[in-house]
Amino acid sequence: MPDTLKISFAPLSAAASGLVVCLVGEDMALSSDTAAILAPAKDLFARAAAEDGFKGKAGSFLDLIAPEKVAATRLVAAGIGKPSDWKELDVIKLGGAVCARLPDASTEATVILSTAAGPLDADQAADFALGLRLRFYSFDRYKTKKKDGETAAKKRAITLLVADDKAARKAYKAREAIADGVDLARDLVNEPPNVLYPTEFAKRAGDLARLGVDVEVLNEKDMKKLGMGALLAVGQGSTRDSHVVVMRWDGGKDGEAPVCVVGKGVCFDSGGISLKPGEGMQDMKGDMGGAAAVVGAMHALAARKARVNVVGLIGLVENMPDGNAYRPGDILTSMSGQTIEMINTDAEGRLVLADVLWYAKDRFKPKVMVNLATLTGAIMVALGQENAGLFSNNDDVAKGLTEAGLVTGEKVWRMPLAAEYDKLMDSQFADMKNTGGRYGGAITAAQFLQRFVGDTPWAHLDVAGTAMNSNKGDLNRSWGAGWGVRLLDRFVADGYER
């Protein structure tokens, strides 16, 4: 948990202090707990609501200074809509929205988690706290001066009044581990590339050992011995060494085949010899968003002692132009033995994943593999930034990821895979080309990856539109979204704990 935010739980009978947030339904429906607190200010509250047009509509807020007789400095009413909608209330998003409404100057707040239909249960209270955590994150460690109107981060204490504080506290432990994993992934994506290069990334992944994760770092000598010619070619134009990091959490049954989650970790992508345009190139520090999500998910699963066997693997490289850089026209030999003709050195992520996927399949014999990668701009043309592209060779895996996405709000949309697209990657000189041309770019990239997974049930998530989130919402105000941590946590643990 960030040292600037403390979340605690207390019974509904506890005294409210500081800024007090209450939940209000349409037609101004209040819980009995809220009504008791607002009793001395009932008329003022009603007049302020009428003046502001506040009727408890979902997503609306009413903010007013508390009168002297109320044990609070300020009152914030959060609209939660019609009672018929309360069972489907997105409590995580509500927590994020409430966090966003808290004034910067407020250091103490109390939230009454009760509606006119009764108090929220322990899981809902824990989800609300998760929403607070996700929204509270910020990344400003490199700012030495504040702009006018900006304030330094202050310590903030938020107390949630709940029906069963002991049960809520227990339920929040798992959510807290997930929030820590999301924050870790966001930190990794937000870091500048001169700070977070492959060796430093591998070092930070190594910190998972403190949670009981077995971490192994492969260096370039190891990868040459394994025959990872595709991955190594991408990094050969950089002065920074490339790495593969293997993170293993054995929380499930002994001998049970693991789930493998694989992430693309291009710590900076200049495009190589096929140089990208200068405009926007600074964002290519985030081309390791898939690897960041894998590390964050491994943190979440290990920190909450998930009963699952899972292996996280990330390929870490820099793609730079240099006299030693790989070239268009080069033919590479991947770890699988398949040869690849280079058409465009900016189609590098699939080369990294090709070797890591083959390695994961060959070494760990997983029951399922899922990879995440900021792979193509084409997926953003198709889906924007609201959904990640999902490609899979297995309907059950695709269904599981889709359902996990709906539960967590990290949504995916299934895209096609078909043999007809393979023809676009035919090469005159090698087994395949590394690009299939302009049309169907996200699909041909997925078809390329499929050649390195064999018969293993597998899914590829193209997160180019979601890992770096310019459409900030209730749960995120950071450029690095940490997208995929909650999705992976849900998918991997599904069938074990839920």
Side-chain angles (χ1 to χ4, degrees):
M1 179 184 292
D3 58 7
T4 52
L5 176 64
K6 179 182 178 182
I7 297 174
S8 58
F9 299 87
L12 285 167
S13 57
S17 59
L19 183 150
V20 174
V21 181
C22 58
L23 308 183
V24 181
E26 285 195 13
D27 299 325
M28 306 303 291
L30 303 173
S31 71
S32 57
D33 306 285
T34 300
I37 291 175
L38 294 180
K42 188 175 181 181
D43 292 340
L44 173 63
F45 181 73
R47 292 199 306 271
E51 181 69 22
D52 201 57
F54 177 81
K55 296 181 179 179
K57 183 178 178 181
S60 64
F61 287 87
L62 175 67
D63 189 347
L64 64 155
I65 300 296
E68 293 182 4
K69 295 181 180 181
V70 175
T73 58
R74 196 174 186 131
L75 294 173
V76 174
I80 56 173
K82 300 176 183 177
S84 58
D85 297 333
W86 292 351
K87 288 185 178 180
E88 304 300 325
L89 186 65
D90 189 336
V91 184
I92 299 177
K93 185 175 283 189
L94 177 62
V98 166
C99 185
R101 294 288 300 202
L102 299 179
D104 288 338
S106 175
T107 59
E108 183 182 9
T110 303
V111 184
I112 307 168
L113 291 182
S114 184
T115 73
L120 273 60
D121 62 31
D123 282 323
Q124 289 176 311
D127 280 343
F128 185 92
L130 173 60
L132 292 172
R133 273 291 311 274
L134 293 175
R135 172 66 191 193
F136 190 80
Y137 173 89
S138 64
F139 188 87
D140 58 2
R141 67 186 56 171
Y142 296 105
K143 287 190 174 184
T144 61
K145 297 179 180 179
K146 298 291 182 181
K147 295 180 181 178
D148 291 341
E150 286 185 335
T151 57
K154 295 182 178 179
K155 290 187 179 295
R156 175 171 289 171
I158 301 177
T159 302
L160 306 182
L161 302 188
V162 296
D164 188 339
D165 57 305
K166 183 177 180 180
R169 200 174 293 114
K170 181 179 179 181
Y172 178 57
K173 286 183 179 180
R175 273 78 165 184
E176 187 174 26
I178 293 169
D180 287 342
V182 173
D183 283 356
L184 172 58
R186 288 172 172 174
D187 280 348
L188 292 169
V189 174
N190 284 324
E191 286 282 14
N194 61 316
V195 172
L196 193 78
Y197 45 90
T199 300
E200 174 63 19
F201 198 133
K203 179 181 176 182
R204 297 196 189 188
D207 291 341
L208 294 179
R210 292 180 293 185
L211 298 174
V213 178
D214 180 52
V215 182
E216 178 185 359
V217 180
L218 305 183
N219 58 31
E220 292 192 348
K221 183 178 179 180
D222 298 324
M223 290 184 280
K224 286 176 183 177
K225 188 174 181 179
L226 289 167
M228 291 186 175
L231 184 153
L232 287 168
V234 177
Q236 71 187 38
S238 173
T239 59
R240 313 278 196 181
D241 285 347
S242 301
H243 298 284
V244 169
V245 181
V246 180
M247 300 155 282
R248 185 163 188 162
W249 171 253
D250 292 321
K253 297 177 181 178
D254 289 342
E256 185 171 27
V259 176
C260 280
V261 290
V262 178
K264 169 190 171 184
V266 180
C267 296
F268 188 77
D269 181 20
S270 69
I273 296 297
S274 305
L275 194 67
K276 291 178 180 291
E279 184 178 358
M281 193 189 289
Q282 70 277 1
D283 288 348
M284 289 300 97
K285 70 175 187 174
D287 207 19
M288 30 58 70
V294 168
V295 174
M298 292 300 296
H299 179 105
L301 291 162
R304 67 186 188 82
K305 308 299 182 187
R307 297 189 298 273
V308 58
N309 294 333
V310 57
V311 182
L313 303 98
I314 53 176
L316 303 175
V317 302
E318 278 188 344
N319 186 24
M320 300 292 286
D322 179 80
N324 194 46
Y326 73 130
R327 298 156 291 248
D330 283 359
I331 294 179
L332 311 178
T333 302
S334 67
M335 184 181 174
S336 71
Q338 298 175 87
T339 56
I340 310 164
E341 179 191 3
M342 295 301 101
I343 302 299
N344 187 329
T345 65
D346 194 25
E348 85 299 330
R350 64 200 68 183
L351 303 175
V352 174
L353 290 172
D355 279 342
V356 181
L357 285 168
W358 187 270
Y359 177 73
K361 173 190 73 71
D362 194 49
R363 176 178 173 184
F364 296 106
K365 309 294 189 295
K367 61 182 177 181
V368 61
M369 289 198 300
V370 179
N371 73 258
L372 287 82
T374 51
L375 207 62
T376 69
I379 201 64
M380 289 190 281
V381 175
L383 300 177
Q385 292 186 286
E386 305 306 320
N387 291 265
L390 163 64
F391 302 82
S392 183
N393 62 3
N394 184 283
D395 290 341
D396 289 336
V397 173
K399 180 181 178 182
L401 284 165
T402 300
E403 291 176 349
L406 291 173
V407 170
T408 60
E410 295 185 334
K411 296 179 290 184
V412 300
W413 190 266
R414 193 172 187 183
M415 302 287 285
L417 288 172
E420 290 79 7
Y421 293 104
D422 275 326
K423 298 176 182 178
L424 297 174
M425 289 183 295
D426 286 346
S427 168
Q428 182 179 355
F429 305 104
D431 294 329
M432 70 194 85
K433 298 183 294 187
N434 75 322
T435 66
R438 179 181 179 187
Y439 298 119
I443 301 171
T444 53
Q447 294 282 158
F448 180 95
L449 296 180
Q450 189 176 26
R451 299 185 180 204
F452 300 89
V453 300
D455 296 328
T456 304
W458 157 83
H460 156 56
L461 298 178
D462 193 332
V463 299
T466 55
M468 297 164 280
N469 187 4
S470 61
N471 295 330
K472 303 176 184 69
D474 289 330
L475 299 180
N476 181 40
R477 54 175 171 163
S478 164
W479 181 76
W483 195 100
V485 173
R486 292 190 295 137
L487 174 72
L488 286 177
D489 175 84
R490 181 77 186 194
F491 174 77
V492 171
D494 200 23
Y496 290 83
E497 301 178 313
R498 297 183 174 132

